[in-house]
Amino acid sequence: RATSNHKVKETVALELSYVNSNLQLLKEELEELNSSMDVYQNNSESISVPMIPLGLKETKELDLLVPLKDLISEHYGEEGVLFEKEIKEFMELRQAMRTPSRNEAGLELLMEYYNQLYFLDSRFFPPTKSLGVFFHWYDSLTGVPSHQRALAFEKGSVLFNIGALHTQIGARQDRASLPGLNQAIDAFQKAAGAFNYLKENFSNAPSLDMSAASLNMLVRLMVAQVQECVFEKMTLLRAQHNFLARLQLAQEAARVEDVYSLVHQTMTQAHVKDYVPFSWTTMVQVKSEHFKALSHYFAAIALCDCPVASDAELPEQEKAFIQFHVTMPEGPSLRVLLQDPEERRKLGKSHLKKAIMKHEEAMRIHGLCKILRKMDILQEVLSFAHKRSLSKYSEIDHEEDFFETGDAPDIHPKTHQKPEIKSPNFSQVKVTDLFHRLGPLSVFSAKNKWYPARRVHLMRGENGFGFTLRGDSPVLIAGVIPGGCAAEAGLKEGDYIISVNGKDCKWSKHAEVVQLLKSAGEEGVEIGVITLQGSEGPKAADKKAAAMSSGSGMLKSNKENNRKSLMNSKSASTLLVWSKKSKRSKKSTYGVPFTAVGDNEPMY
């Protein structure tokens, strides 16, 4: 579009078509890599249907040394070079986060970096100005790169990788044992929680894998994989082969079929189908058909292999069976059906007929996908289930059967363990602010601005220094007596004490600052202070004087000045929006009218 030269246009079109064909080849290779389940499957000899793990998002290296040093000098008025150690430590953490180990230690590393981003955001990302660095991430499904200046994109991508790592941990578990199954269930539930948290807290993501439609699909896929593990858990726990246990297994299998059908519908929607790997869509459809077949197989086994109900067992079996089918089967009454072996065989035969049809459909769909055909495990599972149903059918099929086998009604889906979407627990990995030397976040943050630090020399007068103090870390000058030493030296209400006689007091407690002031000799004391821009409140001299004259006692601590808890603060960004509302406390340092001095604030 930038030229009218036809020769240039032809050359560019040729180049673009070449790039496009290369992209298609890469996409196919990536799809195959994404579907290489063998990497993630366990080494157990028992057969389990493979699960779908998710590949991690890749990111480019990031050099923050110069931008952060510049901002420290410009915004905080500190020597940027003095913070090189902290900046390098943060960059090393980011580098390690790019290749986490596929275990709990890897999850902790990602969580540690995610939590550290909270501090980075609060310190270095002002709401009105960009830091000038780009965060580059690649789509986990297509490999397409995206970049943004917003730190929220970095946070979201790390959160996505937390979910993806949970899927890989879940897929690697040995699901032939109960502990392995429980660990797989936990991992997939946590993966669903991470993707769901991402969906609820992000909007306008630049990459497709983090779009609302994609995340919705991933949450449903994880829930379906949890449901499949629950079915496997039931087959391990229900070793007894009684009628009710087998009905429950049939209903569990129907539930798995139900959730996989929903995932398949989601995967084939317009906004999703173009970038979800074909092997995933096929695998989900195969599982849907496979578990439908299993639900009919277990229904047939319950009817044909279990003894006829005794009079004592009949009420309980009737109650279970009346809720078993979606529609009641045609034929005799429920009581007759449960007590007549021939009627049970007829209904069991119709369930087996449907099971065999569904097994064959699962195998047909499986054969359509080149990648799935390479997976011997899946082929083995489908083939075994099909042969088992065929064997059972030939066992109960009588030569003298002249009746036409009816169409068995579908089984009502029901589960005894509903999947739980477990949101990430960020507080489980404790981190300390790497840049804590800059001072408490309640004051020394990117969103606050203050006038250049002032050094004030005070001599103690007859009535002391002439001001009152409040709070901790940093200590606030709550009031200044007109005409006193502090007022003459230029101190104002709302100033924060950052040093006393050259000693840094940003993190000092109230009592520590008071002690430093009291220990001042005849030569006086030098106080370093800063004033927040926009914090100067209206004068209220009469109220101040009255309050100061009756000052007694000392305020223990000012909660508003303490660092805000990590978990109650969510960052905001102009480019990639966190839509979740912050639950900020109504008590805020910035809202305190600095002219008001309480009765319990002593005068110094």
Side-chain angles (χ1 to χ4, degrees):
R1 284 209 301 264
T3 180
S4 55
N5 187 321
H6 289 292
K7 202 161 190 179
V8 172
K9 279 189 173 184
E10 281 175 23
T11 309
V12 170
L14 190 67
E15 286 287 331
L16 280 174
S17 67
Y18 175 70
V19 169
N20 191 45
S21 64
N22 272 352
L23 269 175
Q24 291 303 316
L25 284 170
L26 279 168
K27 190 178 174 184
E28 284 173 27
E29 284 175 32
L30 189 78
E31 184 177 310
E32 198 152 336
L33 275 172
N34 239 337
S35 307
S36 297
M37 313 285 180
D38 302 347
V39 180
Y40 307 110
Q41 294 308 313
N42 58 73
N43 300 319
S44 167
E45 290 182 8
S46 64
I47 301 174
S48 293
V49 182
M51 292 292 185
I52 297 177
L54 200 59
L56 299 187
K57 288 172 77 72
E58 299 284 339
T59 180
K60 286 185 180 179
E61 277 191 44
L62 186 66
D63 190 351
L64 290 167
L65 194 61
V66 175
L68 292 189
K69 275 164 67 177
D70 288 351
L71 197 131
I72 287 169
S73 302
E74 180 192 320
H75 186 77
Y76 290 92
E78 305 262 6
E79 285 289 330
V81 71
L82 299 175
F83 288 84
E84 275 190 9
K85 181 175 171 283
E86 285 92 337
I87 298 170
K88 284 177 180 172
E89 195 178 332
F90 178 83
M91 283 164 61
E92 282 167 13
L93 178 62
R94 189 182 191 275
Q95 188 64 15
M97 171 280 304
R98 292 174 69 195
T99 51
S101 54
R102 268 59 172 166
N103 52 24
E104 284 297 323
L107 286 169
E108 278 188 25
L109 179 64
L110 285 170
M111 202 75 91
E112 182 187 349
Y113 180 69
Y114 182 89
N115 285 347
Q116 205 60 251
L117 286 175
Y118 158 76
F119 292 115
L120 194 80
D121 191 18
S122 303
R123 296 279 188 198
F124 302 113
F125 284 80
T128 53
K129 185 184 172 186
S130 164
L131 192 61
V133 295
F134 280 99
F135 299 100
H136 293 260
W137 288 86
Y138 295 88
D139 191 297
S140 84
L141 295 174
T142 63
V144 173
S146 301
H147 64 269
Q148 278 200 347
R149 286 195 180 98
L151 189 69
F153 183 42
E154 177 91 345
K155 282 183 177 177
S157 299
V158 174
L159 193 53
F160 185 96
N161 276 359
I162 290 171
L165 195 51
H166 276 302
T167 71
Q168 295 182 11
I169 291 169
R172 289 178 67 180
Q173 298 305 320
D174 176 9
R175 304 200 318 274
S177 69
L178 205 54
L181 270 171
N182 285 330
Q183 283 170 334
I185 287 170
D186 186 56
F188 289 129
Q189 287 184 153
K190 284 176 177 172
F195 296 135
N196 194 55
Y197 187 88
L198 194 51
K199 185 183 76 171
E200 288 179 352
N201 290 280
F202 270 92
S203 57
N204 309 323
S207 61
L208 286 171
D209 55 356
M210 285 161 62
S211 67
S214 176
L215 292 169
N216 187 46
M217 177 272 292
L218 289 173
V219 170
R220 287 179 174 178
L221 175 61
M222 293 310 123
V223 166
Q225 297 195 145
V226 171
Q227 202 69 69
E228 186 177 344
C229 291
V230 170
F231 170 79
E232 292 173 338
K233 190 175 170 182
M234 282 278 291
T235 57
L236 274 183
L237 291 173
R238 305 283 163 133
Q240 75 272 29
H241 301 305
N242 65 43
F243 181 73
L244 294 176
R246 279 169 167 164
L247 289 189
Q248 283 175 352
L249 269 181
Q251 289 189 302
E252 283 287 353
R255 178 65 187 154
V256 180
E257 180 264 327
D258 210 31
V259 288
Y260 272 121
S261 289
L262 183 62
V263 176
H264 186 253
Q265 281 173 32
T266 316
M267 282 184 173
T268 49
Q269 282 174 355
H271 299 299
V272 183
K273 67 178 179 185
D274 295 334
Y275 62 88
V276 170
F278 177 63
S279 55
W280 285 21
T281 315
T282 312
M283 170 76 97
V284 163
Q285 200 178 356
V286 164
K287 286 192 174 188
S288 178
E289 298 294 342
H290 173 67
F291 281 98
K292 184 150 195 170
L294 288 185
S295 71
H296 286 285
Y297 170 78
F298 283 112
I301 293 294
L303 288 161
C304 301
D305 284 11
C306 296
V308 172
S310 66
D311 290 338
E313 296 168 331
L314 196 60
E316 193 183 2
Q317 289 195 8
E318 266 188 305
K319 188 181 174 186
F321 207 72
I322 204 163
Q323 298 168 349
F324 181 69
H325 290 102
V326 175
T327 54
M328 281 303 290
E330 293 174 9
S333 69
L334 204 57
R335 189 172 286 263
V336 172
L337 175 65
L338 289 172
Q339 291 194 304
D340 184 341
E342 183 56 23
E343 288 298 335
R344 284 170 72 131
R345 185 181 71 84
K346 279 183 186 177
L347 183 57
K349 193 176 172 184
S350 66
H351 275 298
L352 275 175
K353 182 185 171 187
K354 202 157 192 177
I356 292 162
M357 283 166 60
K358 290 294 168 186
H359 283 309
E360 286 166 358
E361 182 62 8
M363 291 165 81
R364 183 190 71 79
I365 296 163
H366 171 264
L368 297 175
C369 180
K370 181 179 75 175
I371 294 165
L372 293 193
R373 285 202 302 272
K374 292 178 184 175
M375 291 171 57
D376 298 336
I377 303 171
L378 185 57
Q379 180 74 53
E380 213 175 316
V381 170
L382 297 177
S383 181
F384 169 78
H386 181 229
K387 284 174 184 169
R388 187 176 61 177
S389 291
L390 280 174
S391 169
K392 193 71 203 168
Y393 188 85
S394 60
E395 184 189 312
I396 65 164
D397 187 28
H398 295 170
E399 283 183 17
E400 62 273 12
D401 280 354
F402 294 112
F403 62 84
E404 191 176 325
T405 308
D407 186 29
D410 280 338
I411 287 131
H412 186 71
K414 188 179 178 184
T415 182
H416 290 76
Q417 185 181 334
K418 284 187 178 177
E420 184 187 342
I421 295 175
K422 290 186 175 179
S423 290
N425 180 14
F426 300 114
S427 59
Q428 73 185 29
V429 178
K430 306 289 181 200
V431 297
T432 51
D433 179 8
L434 289 174
F435 299 93
H436 72 278
R437 284 198 295 130
L438 289 171
L441 264 176
S442 57
V443 174
F444 301 96
S445 67
K447 69 179 179 182
N448 287 335
K449 289 183 180 177
W450 50 88
Y451 298 104
R454 317 191 304 281
R455 294 197 183 280
V456 177
H457 193 269
L458 291 180
M459 300 296 290
R460 194 191 298 274
E462 288 180 20
N463 297 320
F465 293 117
F467 56 64
T468 60
L469 302 179
R470 184 172 75 209
D472 290 325
S473 311
V475 171
L476 177 78
I477 295 176
V480 177
I481 296 178
C485 302
E488 286 177 15
L491 287 181
K492 307 188 191 90
E493 309 128 19
D495 282 351
Y496 286 101
I497 296 176
I498 59 169
S499 68
V500 176
N501 284 336
K503 184 184 185 310
D504 192 305
C505 291
K506 292 191 191 99
W507 284 100
S508 297
K509 297 287 183 191
H510 190 117
E512 291 166 1
V513 172
V514 169
Q515 192 56 45
L516 286 170
L517 292 171
K518 283 182 176 177
S519 62
E522 290 180 6
E523 70 279 4
V525 63
E526 188 180 70
I527 299 177
V529 294
I530 59 158
T531 307
L532 284 180
Q533 291 185 21
S535 68
E536 305 88 349
K539 303 290 179 191
D542 298 341
K543 189 174 180 181
K544 272 190 301 182
M548 286 180 194
S549 63
S550 60
S552 62
M554 184 154 48
L555 199 68
K556 289 178 186 173
S557 128
N558 179 12
K559 286 181 184 173
E560 295 108 2
N561 285 340
N562 289 342
R563 181 176 69 79
K564 287 183 185 176
S565 123
L566 176 62
M567 291 326 11
N568 284 348
S569 211
K570 300 283 178 280
S571 63
S573 160
T574 50
L575 296 177
L576 188 66
V577 184
W578 280 92
S579 57
K580 191 165 185 178
K581 293 175 184 175
S582 300
K583 294 180 181 176
R584 299 193 190 276
S585 167
K586 287 181 183 176
K587 294 180 181 178
S588 165
T589 310
Y590 324 114
V592 174
F594 294 129
T595 51
V597 181
D599 292 346
N600 57 354
E601 286 157 358
M603 189 167 67
Y604 301 103

